[in-house]
């Protein structure tokens, strides 16, 4: 990995992965692209950045060719709730974006990282200890694009030898960017409300349990998988990974240990509740552990302490 392209570079993962890769590989060797300019000026100023639509194959191919890109982290996509609001657009961006990247990777011999999701599972999937290889019949457009994305990555690996690798991420929690249209974003929103000294109106039921992960673990997983010896990977794509599994009421209780007067009430959004209800409660990530040594560092208590240490608003009330 010498010359890197990151699509979706200004999103939740991209805003943290881009500076991390620039630190490791040199600022000029990591090119970010996104349809919107970075909120964090460090991303635009910290190295090459191009504003473009991921479906613009000509512009992407020119960037890859001219910069001799050898690795693509393909993060540009619509997340679950945004995708459900405009399913046709979600199909177009998530599928045609990925196909464009895979075709370019085939032509220019690039490795590709593609993040899948707990959303790639559906109501018929075993919700507890969800196996690596199991039933995947999601009933959301987001999930459909993730399953097809996983299969496309397998196809390009098998038929064209493209080094495609990927993870099924759970809900990711971080403090650097605002939530970006996901169903698990309630968790990030809850932190921002608590840190502001406000109560939080939660759109999922108090007992909706989902897999989650703190961003430092997610970044470590991406780098570890991309560095793994391909010969040791029998599932090179779509590895289940998780770090913790909790409900909104458990997260609220963990935050209340730091901010005792924090309060949450529940105003359920039926669309996002239905999405969450179709996802696993807790994935089995033993394939990732066995094949490339995955393990997480942050549990619920450690993640909550670190989040609250980093999110600061003037009105923050401390215990
Ligand atoms: P995000 O919404 O924060 O970022 C996605 C980025 O893609 C945004 O900056 C957006 O501007 C960009 N984008 C969207 N449409 C585009 C287009 N047409 N052209 C160019 N750029 C476009 O999402 P994220 O959390 O950073 O997620 C990145 C990837 O990881 C996605 O594939 C997502 O499905 C996957 N993932 C995320 C999570 C999570 O909890 N954040 C969990 C599982 C999987
Ligand atoms: N966190 C993502 C979402 O809620 C899951 O892929 O959309």
């Amino acid at each position: 990995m010498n010359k890197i392209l990151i699509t979706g570079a200004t999103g939740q993962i991209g805003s943290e992965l881009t500076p991390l890769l620039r630190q490791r590989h040199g600022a000029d060797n990591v090119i970010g692209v996104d349809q919107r300019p970075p909120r964090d000026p460090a991303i635009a100023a910290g190295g090459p950045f191009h504003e473009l639509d991921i479906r613009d194959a000509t512009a992407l191919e020119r960037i890859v060719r001219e910069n001799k890109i050898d690795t693509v982290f393909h993060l540009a996509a619509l997340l679950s709730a945004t995708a459900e609001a405009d399913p046709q657009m979600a199909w177009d961006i998530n599928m045609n974006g990925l196909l464009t990247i895979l075709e370019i990777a085939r032509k220019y011999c690039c490795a590709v990282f593609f993040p899948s999701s707990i959303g790639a599972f559906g109501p018929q999937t075993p919700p507890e200890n969800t196996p690596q290889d199991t039933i995947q019949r999601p009933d959301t457009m987001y999930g459909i694009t993730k399953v097809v994305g996983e299969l496309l990555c397998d196809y390009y690996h098998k038929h064209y030898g493209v080094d495609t690798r990927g993870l099924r991420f759970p809900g990711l929690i971080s403090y650097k960017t605002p939530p970006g249209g996901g169903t698990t974003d309630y968790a990030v929103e809850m932190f921002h409300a608590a840190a502001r000294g406000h109560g939080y109106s939660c759109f999922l039921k108090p007992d909706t349990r989902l897999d989650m992960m703190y961003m430092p673990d997610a970044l470590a997983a991406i780098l570890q998988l991309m560095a793994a010896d391909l010969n040791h990977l029998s599932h090179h794509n779509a590895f289940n990974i998780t770090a913790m599994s909790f409900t909104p009421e458990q997260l609220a209780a963990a935050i209340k240990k730091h901010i005792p007067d924090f309060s949450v009430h529940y105003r359920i959004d039926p669309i996002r509740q239905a999405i969450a209800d179709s996802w696993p409660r807790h994935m089995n990530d033993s394939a990732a552990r066995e094949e490339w040594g995955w393990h997480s560092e942050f549990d619920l208590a450690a993640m909550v302490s670190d989040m609250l240490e980093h999110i600061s608003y003037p009105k923050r009330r401390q215990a």
Side-chain angles (χ1 to χ4, degrees), residues 8 10-14 34-36 52-55 75-79 93 115-117 142 146 169-172 180 184:
T10 73
Q12 187 187 12
I13 302 176
D34 202 295
Q35 68 179 359
R36 61 181 185 199
L52 57 74
D53 192 293
I54 193 63
R55 293 160 294 177
L75 308 179
L78 298 191
L79 270 68
I93 293 175
S116 187
S117 160
Y142 179 68
K146 289 302 184 192
F169 278 129
L172 299 181
T184 56

Side-chain angles (χ1 to χ4, degrees), residues 18-29:
T18 307
L20 183 63
L21 288 172
R22 283 180 176 158
Q23 224 174 46
R24 290 181 173 216
H25 297 273
D28 290 342
N29 295 323

Side-chain angles (χ1 to χ4, degrees), residues 25-92:
H25 297 273
D28 290 342
N29 295 323
V30 181
I31 297 175
V33 298
D34 202 295
Q35 68 179 359
R36 61 181 185 199
R39 279 188 201 84
D40 178 357
I43 293 200
F49 178 82
H50 301 273
E51 224 173 295
L52 57 74
D53 192 293
I54 193 63
R55 293 160 294 177
D56 185 346
T58 310
L60 278 167
E61 183 167 345
R62 183 170 37 75
I63 291 171
V64 168
R65 188 181 59 246
E66 288 178 357
N67 295 281
K68 299 188 167 46
I69 297 293
D70 58 42
T71 306
V72 182
F73 292 84
H74 177 49
L75 308 179
L78 298 191
L79 270 68
S80 57
T82 316
E84 235 25 47
D86 192 343
Q88 291 74 19
M89 172 79 88
W91 174 268
D92 191 20

